[in-house]
Amino acid sequence: MSDRPTTLGDLRASGWEPRTVKAEVRSNLIDRIRAGRPLVDGIVGYEDTVVPALERAILAGHDIILLGERGQGKTRLIRGLVGLLDEAIPAIDGTETNDDPYAPSSAAGRRILAEQGDDAPIRWLAPEDRFSEKLATPDIAVADLIGDLDPIKVAEGRYLTDEETIHHGLVPRTNRGIVSINELPDLPPRIQVALLNVLEERDVQIRGHLVRLELDLLLVATANPEDYTNRGRIITPLKDRFGSEVRTHYPRTAEHEITIVGQELTPPPADVVWDLPQVMREVVVALTERARTSSHVNHRSGVSVRFSIANAETLIASAIRRALRTGESPAVPRVADLPSLVQSSMGRLEFEVFEEGREEELLRRMVSEAVLDVFRDRLGTADLSGVLAAFDAGVEVETGDLVPSEQVVADAGDVPDLADLLRRLDLAEESPAHVACGLEFVMEGLHLTRRLNKDATLSGGTVYAG
């Protein structure tokens, strides 16, 4: 920023021309589309649905409301829009509302220009300086969003009628930028009314002051569909002022959700070697899909993608715990780690009232159904007769969340066609942890298809036998 104009006179000499934030965002989006670049980086599964609708809304110059259930990436989409802002724009230094040097909107900006003329100081705003977000809560006041009289300024000797006695709220302070309001229906109706002028007349009114503070904004809000929330509603006049409504959705394919889980995982400590095999990622996502379609789960607030991410992280943590206690490496989740998902998922799903007391049982059943779904998809056509013959000949395998992988492999012995099964599961043969992962998955699938016995042990583990 050091080589940019620092006074109004220098700015005029540089040839800089102002444009509205919506024109700026639209122009930069056009450049991205022509260059073949995505609207927002890191968004998966929205390429043919949400992204086109959002691009149309921006090209139309609309304020936008993103409508969707929790955990559908609405906030991430909005934050990604910051990338459509210019690298830097000038504002009059000393103004709370980022005043345009050529057309100041506040009394402070007009006073600075009147007093200093071409020597008026200029500061440059980066994109992150021009974005603000607010989570709507019932305790928000009009002063938080719009502004109020500042008693300190009054005490300093200013008259109440002086516009500079106003302490501006979040919206005016983000003038010439993007304002995000998350969970808009949670705003009380009287607060929503305060936004009517912002969206239509592009000004704010504070405490009856005869002040017309013209704002240049892109307002983006999020909300759950009305059918999924009992907390509040968007008042009709405010809803009418949003130019575009963009519907979000959960990933339409397992591949999309697996990709999202992979990019959002919180990595364990760097000194821990771990791996989450693709087959276990598929089980995690299959569990989420089971929860989303289960008649026992209350779907009014949805089952977030964060449910998948947290479950994947829990599986990795369980495997790391085993690795730390047994010394094996890498730490690889197995079927024996899946019971940990039951406890970690209890508070993340909202069950129907009549299922009270059965939550743990229902979750265990969903976990088993998820394993069975992946087993049929991965090994539905595989020849498992050799594995069954080995168990019929007396093989017994004891496993559990703290049983070392080498012990599981040793108990199984020389399993026929094991290499082919591991290949089908995309697992490496060299690592005992990966081999144990594959063995447990095959054994659990055979048990769930009623071809292998599974009994609990006194130590809390399980034994697979013919």
Side-chain angles (χ1 to χ4, degrees):
M1 301 278 186
S2 59
D3 59 343
R4 301 182 186 276
T6 57
T7 65
L8 178 59
D10 294 339
L11 184 67
R12 294 185 193 278
S14 72
W16 179 83
E17 293 294 334
R19 55 180 177 175
T20 66
V21 65
K22 289 184 177 180
E24 173 187 336
V25 169
R26 179 196 294 126
S27 175
N28 291 331
L29 173 60
I30 290 172
D31 291 342
R32 282 199 177 206
I33 293 175
R34 285 174 173 165
R37 297 174 56 202
L39 170 65
V40 176
D41 295 325
I43 294 296
V44 177
Y46 282 175
E47 295 84 358
D48 300 322
T49 53
V50 177
V51 168
L54 195 53
E55 288 177 343
R56 287 191 289 267
I58 294 172
L59 292 173
H62 288 169
D63 294 297
I64 305 164
I65 182 165
L66 296 176
L67 201 61
E69 298 170 6
R70 64 184 181 185
Q72 293 184 347
K74 300 186 293 296
T75 301
R76 181 164 186 160
L77 273 172
I78 294 174
R79 291 176 180 175
L81 297 181
V82 176
L84 296 178
L85 295 172
D86 284 346
E87 180 183 356
I89 65 166
I92 300 175
D93 196 12
T95 60
E96 294 181 346
T97 53
N98 302 330
D99 285 19
D100 182 345
Y102 295 168
S105 56
S106 68
R110 292 189 292 271
R111 175 177 53 78
I112 291 172
L113 289 193
E115 293 175 354
Q116 303 187 45
D118 281 352
D119 293 327
I122 299 298
R123 74 178 189 275
W124 290 84
L125 304 174
E128 57 270 20
D129 300 325
R130 303 168 58 202
F131 173 75
S132 63
E133 59 182 334
K134 185 72 173 177
L135 176 62
T137 54
D139 62 336
I140 287 180
V142 174
D144 299 325
L145 290 180
I146 306 302
D148 204 346
L149 297 179
D150 189 338
I152 296 178
K153 293 179 179 179
V154 175
E156 290 174 346
R158 291 189 174 95
Y159 292 102
L160 288 176
T161 54
D162 185 350
E163 182 183 332
E164 293 193 55
T165 61
I166 295 173
H167 172 77
H168 297 292
L170 180 72
V171 172
R173 286 175 178 270
T174 319
N175 184 31
R176 303 173 70 205
I178 300 174
V179 176
S180 165
I181 300 179
N182 290 319
E183 307 300 342
L184 182 60
D186 284 357
L187 279 183
R190 64 184 181 83
I191 310 299
Q192 294 186 36
V193 169
L195 295 175
L196 294 179
N197 269 34
V198 174
L199 282 168
E200 189 65 24
E201 286 78 18
R202 297 291 159 184
D203 63 14
V204 293
Q205 299 176 2
I206 300 174
R207 291 274 183 171
H209 270 253
L210 297 177
V211 174
R212 182 177 175 83
L213 182 63
E214 296 186 8
L215 301 176
D216 174 21
L217 293 170
L218 170 58
L219 185 62
V220 188
T222 70
N224 289 333
E226 288 186 354
D227 292 342
Y228 299 104
T229 179
N230 293 318
R231 297 172 301 187
R233 295 287 184 268
I234 303 175
I235 62 174
T236 302
L238 183 61
K239 187 186 299 183
D240 182 59
R241 281 168 164 79
F242 281 98
S244 291
E245 178 182 284
V246 177
R247 292 262 179 167
T248 60
H249 55 79
Y250 289 125
R252 298 278 173 86
T253 67
E255 290 76 14
H256 286 158
E257 187 142 5
I258 289 170
T259 301
I260 295 171
V261 169
Q263 70 183 22
E264 297 297 326
L265 279 177
T266 301
D271 59 345
V272 176
V273 180
W274 63 277
D275 180 37
L276 182 60
Q278 179 73 6
V279 66
M280 297 306 293
R281 296 174 189 250
E282 292 173 8
V283 170
V284 167
V285 170
L287 172 59
T288 303
E289 185 57 32
R290 281 284 178 176
R292 286 179 184 152
T293 57
S294 173
S295 60
H296 305 291
V297 175
N298 185 324
H299 297 290
R300 285 180 301 194
S301 57
V303 180
S304 168
V305 176
R306 288 187 288 268
F307 182 74
S308 295
I309 297 167
N311 281 340
E313 292 170 342
T314 300
L315 276 186
I316 294 171
S318 182
I320 290 175
R321 176 173 174 267
R322 175 174 56 254
L324 293 174
R325 290 182 179 273
T326 64
E328 67 183 39
S329 182
V332 178
R334 311 189 313 235
V335 168
D337 298 305
L338 290 176
S340 63
L341 301 186
V342 175
Q343 294 301 321
S344 67
S345 300
M346 290 286 283
R348 289 183 169 270
L349 295 182
E350 297 179 16
F351 288 89
E352 295 290 354
V353 176
F354 55 84
E355 302 293 358
E356 187 174 345
R358 298 181 59 228
E359 294 89 350
E360 186 170 338
E361 172 195 344
L362 292 171
L363 274 167
R364 290 186 184 278
R365 185 189 306 169
M366 282 190 278
V367 170
S368 295
E369 291 170 345
V371 174
L372 185 57
D373 289 341
V374 179
F375 177 79
R376 286 171 170 163
D377 181 57
R378 285 279 191 159
L379 301 177
T381 60
D383 181 8
L384 300 172
S385 58
V387 180
L388 291 171
F391 278 93
D392 288 340
V395 169
E396 291 188 358
V397 178
E398 181 177 352
T399 185
D401 63 331
L402 293 180
V403 175
S405 297
E406 290 185 352
Q407 180 180 325
V408 174
V409 176
D411 286 352
D414 188 13
V415 177
D417 304 319
L418 177 60
D420 178 62
L421 295 177
L422 293 176
R423 179 183 56 79
R424 286 173 175 262
L425 297 175
D426 298 321
L427 292 168
E429 297 181 54
E430 295 78 12
S431 161
H434 287 91
V435 174
C437 174
L439 281 171
E440 285 195 16
F441 182 78
V442 172
M443 292 187 296
E444 183 69 10
L446 289 173
H447 165 67
L448 294 173
T449 53
R450 302 176 184 273
R451 289 179 283 177
L452 205 63
N453 288 331
K454 177 183 176 182
D455 297 307
T457 66
L458 294 177
S459 62
T462 57
V463 174
Y464 294 95

